[in-house]
């Protein structure tokens, strides 16, 4: 499943005030990312932070999807995620539940843009809660 990562243009609150967009631009499609629930987040108790393979926060899952993803994580479902790409002010990751590695979507050979610059949405599912 493809999920949006928002807040990529906000600075991190670490000592170095690391740059989320720069970290995403330094990442390659397929790089692993980690998801970390933040139940004590003052803005949203359902917030799930997204971290790059170098352990730099790159943003948050969108507020529409975070409650569902968080619920699945709390149930103990195994979750793995990879970086898919960036487009405008949103980054995208691919997530897989229940074991196995997520895969990047197949790009049609006639597409002029590479995977990293393209977004391939999944069809809506009734249990996604959106």
């Amino acid at each position: 499943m493809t999920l949006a990562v928002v807040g990529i243009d906000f600075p991190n609150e670490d000592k170095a005030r690391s740059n989320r967009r720069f970290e995403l631009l330094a990442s390659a499609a397929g790089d692993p990312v980690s998801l970390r629930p933040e139940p004590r987040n003052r803005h949203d108790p359902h917030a799930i932070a997204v971290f790059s393979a170098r352990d730099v926060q790159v943003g948050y899952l969108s507020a529409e999807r975070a409650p569902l993803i968080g619920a699945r994580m709390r149930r103990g479902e195994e979750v793995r995620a990879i970086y898919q790409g960036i487009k405008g002010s949103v980054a995208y990751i691919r997530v897989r539940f229940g074991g196995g590695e997520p895969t990047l979507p197949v790009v049609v050979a006639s597409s002029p843009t590479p995977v990293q610059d393209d977004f391939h949405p999944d069809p809506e599912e009734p249990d996604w809660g959106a």
Side-chain angles (χ1 to χ4, degrees):
M1 130 181 11
T2 295
L3 297 174
V5 179
V6 298
I8 68 172
D9 289 315
F10 289 95
N12 284 324
E13 297 180 7
D14 56 5
K15 291 180 183 179
R17 298 199 45 90
S18 53
N19 185 300
R20 295 174 180 181
R21 181 176 286 273
F22 179 82
E23 181 65 19
L24 288 166
L25 292 171
S27 299
D31 282 354
V33 296
S34 60
L35 306 178
R36 300 181 192 166
E38 291 186 350
R40 291 192 172 99
N41 184 300
R42 66 181 181 199
H43 302 291
D44 182 359
H46 300 290
I48 298 178
V50 181
F51 285 79
S52 72
R54 289 171 290 282
D55 206 35
V56 174
Q57 184 178 358
V58 295
Y60 287 92
L61 291 185
S62 68
E64 294 81 21
R65 297 289 189 235
L68 170 74
I69 302 304
R72 293 181 79 169
M73 292 172 76
R74 284 189 302 279
R75 285 196 301 257
E77 287 188 55
E78 182 182 355
V79 60
R80 294 199 182 172
I82 58 173
Y83 176 64
Q84 180 176 337
I86 186 172
K87 188 165 187 151
S89 62
V90 178
Y92 297 95
I93 62 172
R94 295 287 288 180
V95 176
R96 182 169 181 154
F97 287 95
E101 294 298 322
T103 57
L104 294 171
V106 176
V107 177
V108 178
S110 63
S111 175
T113 55
V115 170
Q116 191 162 354
D117 292 332
D118 214 358
F119 169 58
H120 303 275
D122 292 309
E124 286 291 318
E125 297 290 332
D127 64 336
W128 284 10

